[in-house]
Amino acid sequence: MSNRHLARTIVMQILYQWDFKEKPTAALPAIIDQNLEEFGVGLDENKIYVRQTVEGIVEHIDNIDNVIETYATNWPIGQMSIVDRNILRIGVYELTINEKIPEKVAINEAIEIAKTYGGITSGKFVNGILGGIYKDLQQTPNTDISS
């Protein structure tokens, strides 16, 4: 497993824990620190990525969730599994906000994490939603679908 893949997995674990606890903003730094300490051994260069990604997702959570709900028409965000919801948040953040991550990498990484940590159909579910977003981004470049 690459260090960046492990870093994304840690981001998912942090978001899962934060979401499960009903999104306590004040507890987020402690959740990040605890997960990095427990799972982030040897990730020195990717610890900044983990913090920035979590903080970026939390900062843009309403816009990210709106994008997810737009593309997951049959699945209200509150009815998605916590794992799938937070993997999608990472994927949408990397597709629409973090311009440093190549789009196909963001999609592939999200699918792999969904296959590993989600349910039987999570990989297909994540692929379908992120694929739809990617398709629309390709058809209308320079469109900000995250706002």
Side-chain angles (χ1 to χ4, degrees):
M1 177 181 307
S2 75
N3 282 346
R4 185 54 67 94
H5 183 77
L6 178 58
R8 281 187 182 89
T9 301
I10 293 170
V11 170
M12 188 272 301
Q13 291 171 311
I14 292 166
L15 292 172
Y16 179 98
Q17 195 172 357
W18 173 74
D19 195 4
F20 183 80
K21 293 181 178 189
E22 299 183 8
K23 303 177 192 163
T25 305
L28 194 55
I31 294 170
I32 293 169
D33 290 343
Q34 181 257 326
N35 277 277
L36 283 174
E37 185 177 320
E38 187 171 345
F39 303 111
V41 176
L43 281 184
D44 296 332
E45 71 280 357
N46 283 300
K47 288 182 179 181
I48 293 170
Y49 162 82
V50 169
R51 288 183 190 283
Q52 288 177 341
T53 301
V54 170
E55 291 167 0
I57 291 168
V58 170
E59 178 183 341
H60 298 282
I61 194 77
D62 292 335
N63 292 337
I64 290 169
D65 286 356
N66 286 337
V67 171
I68 293 169
E69 287 184 330
T70 298
Y71 286 85
T73 54
N74 296 323
W75 284 95
I77 200 151
Q79 290 182 2
M80 292 177 191
S81 76
I82 296 175
V83 170
D84 291 352
R85 178 170 57 232
N86 286 294
I87 292 168
L88 284 169
R89 286 173 173 156
I90 296 166
V92 170
Y93 173 78
E94 290 190 338
L95 274 173
T96 64
I97 298 168
N98 185 347
E99 297 176 357
K100 296 178 184 176
I101 306 297
E103 294 162 325
K104 290 184 180 182
V105 170
I107 294 169
N108 288 335
E109 285 288 316
I111 293 167
E112 289 305 312
I113 293 170
K115 286 179 181 178
T116 303
Y117 295 97
I120 295 170
T121 61
S122 292
K124 290 179 182 180
F125 179 65
V126 168
N127 184 33
I129 293 170
L130 296 181
I133 295 168
Y134 175 76
K135 180 181 173 188
D136 286 352
L137 288 170
Q138 296 307 301
Q139 289 177 352
T140 53
N142 302 321
T143 300
D144 184 7
I145 64 170
S146 66
S147 53

